[in-house]
Amino acid sequence: MAKDLIIGAFTNYKINQLKPWINSIKETGFTGDIVLIAVNSDQHTVDDIEKAGIRVVKATNENNMMIHMLRFLHIYHYLKLHGHEYRYVITTDVRDVIFQSNPTEYVQNIFGNSAAGILAQSEAIKIKDEAWNRDNIIKNFGQYFYLDVMENDVYNVGILAGLTEYIKDLCFHLYQMSSNRPDWVADQAAYNML
């Protein structure tokens, strides 16, 4: 059976900002691979992460894109190269997410024996009823497309989980739909449009 992967990306963080994410994963009993994509990170931080037993992939940001969107390009690239090694992929924000239990056990319990591909995390509010998400979608995709999704729940792009091929494809589309948008943070709007 293929192993599972937890992957995240960061820029301009030091080890102390990453420790809650790293330590919480390790405390859950997760046995798969943990990878952090370090965008323009200093070597001291990379060394500290590797000492914690985390694989680091160094990356750059030639287009000066916000890490919110750029992460999807780098995660897509990593999965394009290594996706065959994994069953489930969990990708999260690394600054404000902690793990309370083994995420692959949770995903497996939700999916059961189904062929489901992606587990989406709702914010339990409709797009039309939450100003930031509503305005972000209108700014990035326009009123016409907002009307298509306004009754949908808001889904959080900061926590994604599912089968590797689905997450890889989702990252491709999130990167493409987030790029060159009017707002500096278009990833959540793109996810909710998808």
Side-chain angles (χ1 to χ4, degrees):
M1 177 187 294
K3 57 189 166 180
D4 300 315
L5 170 68
I6 297 176
I7 186 168
F10 73 94
T11 191
N12 299 322
Y13 289 170
K14 302 295 184 194
I15 190 66
N16 285 341
Q17 292 164 295
L18 299 166
K19 274 184 181 178
W21 187 83
I22 292 168
N23 291 342
S24 70
I25 294 168
K26 293 187 170 276
E27 291 172 7
T28 69
F30 176 78
T31 58
D33 288 350
I34 306 168
V35 173
L36 273 171
I37 298 167
V39 178
N40 298 335
S41 182
D42 64 88
Q43 189 59 47
H44 182 70
T45 300
V46 168
D47 293 343
D48 286 342
I49 295 167
E50 288 176 338
K51 285 178 194 168
I54 309 299
R55 180 174 181 194
V56 176
V57 175
K58 293 182 183 180
T60 58
N61 186 359
E62 290 95 20
N63 297 329
N64 201 27
M65 183 180 237
M66 294 299 293
I67 189 68
H68 307 73
M69 283 87 70
L70 181 65
R71 65 182 164 167
F72 296 113
L73 173 65
H74 292 298
I75 294 168
Y76 169 81
H77 181 72
Y78 184 85
L79 294 176
K80 190 168 94 171
L81 298 175
H82 303 283
H84 63 280
E85 301 172 26
Y86 302 109
R87 173 184 60 160
Y88 295 134
V89 174
I90 295 103
T91 179
T92 73
D93 293 341
V94 299
R95 181 182 55 89
D96 59 356
V97 171
I98 60 167
F99 294 84
Q100 297 176 337
S101 63
N102 187 329
T104 57
E105 290 175 4
Y106 177 78
V107 172
Q108 192 167 5
N109 287 338
I110 296 294
F111 283 178
N113 293 325
S114 76
I118 296 172
L119 179 61
Q121 304 302 312
S122 169
E123 292 188 2
I125 191 168
K126 294 203 178 302
I127 291 169
K128 69 178 185 177
D129 297 328
E130 203 287 308
W132 184 86
N133 281 284
R134 178 186 63 237
D135 296 345
N136 191 262
I137 288 172
I138 292 169
K139 184 174 186 179
N140 285 296
F141 294 97
Q143 184 73 21
Y144 177 84
F145 291 108
Y146 162 71
L147 294 174
D148 286 346
V149 298
M150 63 186 264
E151 294 293 335
N152 295 351
D153 285 347
V154 172
Y155 287 96
N156 185 331
V157 75
I159 302 172
L160 305 175
L163 296 170
T164 301
E165 279 301 310
Y166 287 85
I167 297 297
K168 182 182 83 158
D169 290 348
L170 179 60
C171 287
F172 169 84
H173 290 288
L174 285 170
Y175 176 75
Q176 293 297 328
M177 287 184 67
S178 297
S179 298
N180 300 313
R181 293 287 168 187
D183 198 348
W184 64 274
V185 56
D187 58 327
Q188 180 114 337
Y191 184 50
N192 280 279
M193 290 305 302
L194 287 169

